[in-house]
Amino acid sequence: MALVEVRPVTPEEYRAAGEVVVAAYRALPGASTTAGYEEALADVAGRARTAVVLVAVDPVVSGAPEDATRVLGCVTYVEGCGSLWAEQLEEGEASIRMLGVDPAAQGRGVGAALLDHCIRRARESGARALFLHSTPWMSAAHHLYAKAGFVRVPERDWEPTPEVPLLAFRLDLAGA
């Protein structure tokens, strides 16, 4: 696993972070995204105004120019059910949305680093659980979630549109 730095996105990285998320969703086996949803995935600047958007970047080499970092992954962290980005959250839960890793960087631990950062952030904020939705074709992500301790909660599955079923996953933080 390559070492990556996870931190809040900077305005200079909005475009690159959005491109990474769109590329990750386009690369999913059997997945198709609509132009409208790709626009939402790419709008990191819009999400950053009302949620915490995190990026995973290659660490900066000492003495390298600041633009030497490369965005490898991005995730939107939703602090609670009062957020504009909350989907079916219950009181005391935090959530993650739109987790994407550059297809060229997949398998290097980038997604795990982003997820671990969100789990730590949720614990530190006092959230009792971390919740998310995922499509059935995001099987690699499902393995990542299971490894982190998330369990399926089928009673919270939903379909925002008939062609996009969303599977619910939850990590209990209360006992951790």
Side-chain angles (χ1 to χ4, degrees):
M1 176 172 96
L3 293 178
V4 297
E5 176 187 358
V6 176
R7 58 169 170 69
V9 66
T10 65
E12 297 78 26
E13 295 167 326
Y14 290 163
R15 192 179 107 257
E19 289 172 356
V20 162
V21 177
V22 169
Y25 276 62
R26 281 183 181 164
L28 290 167
S32 62
T33 57
T34 64
Y37 192 56
E38 283 192 6
E39 187 176 304
L41 292 172
D43 186 16
V44 171
R47 289 196 300 283
R49 284 192 292 274
T50 55
V52 177
V53 179
L54 303 166
V55 290
V57 297
D58 276 326
V60 177
V61 177
S62 179
E66 195 167 323
D67 63 356
T69 64
R70 182 170 73 92
V71 175
L72 302 175
C74 181
V75 66
T76 299
Y77 175 81
V78 181
E79 293 180 327
C81 57
S83 169
L84 296 172
W85 293 98
E87 285 182 338
Q88 297 190 339
L89 286 185
E90 295 177 358
E91 193 63 41
E93 290 180 334
S95 179
I96 63 170
R97 305 263 325 261
M98 302 177 183
L99 172 63
V101 175
D102 182 337
Q106 291 176 3
R108 292 180 43 199
V110 175
L114 287 163
L115 184 61
D116 289 347
H117 192 92
C118 290
I119 292 168
R120 277 194 313 276
R121 190 176 196 105
R123 280 193 174 112
E124 289 168 3
S125 74
R128 62 181 172 81
L130 187 59
F131 182 78
L132 63 93
H133 281 109
S134 180
T135 63
W137 47 86
M138 295 177 171
S139 57
H142 300 172
H143 293 291
L144 179 67
Y145 304 145
K147 188 174 178 180
F150 282 79
V151 296
R152 283 274 293 118
V153 281
E155 64 275 13
R156 292 175 70 182
D157 292 354
W158 72 299
E159 291 184 5
T161 63
E163 61 278 351
V164 182
L166 294 176
L167 308 177
F169 294 81
R170 186 175 186 275
L171 175 65
D172 182 12
L173 301 173

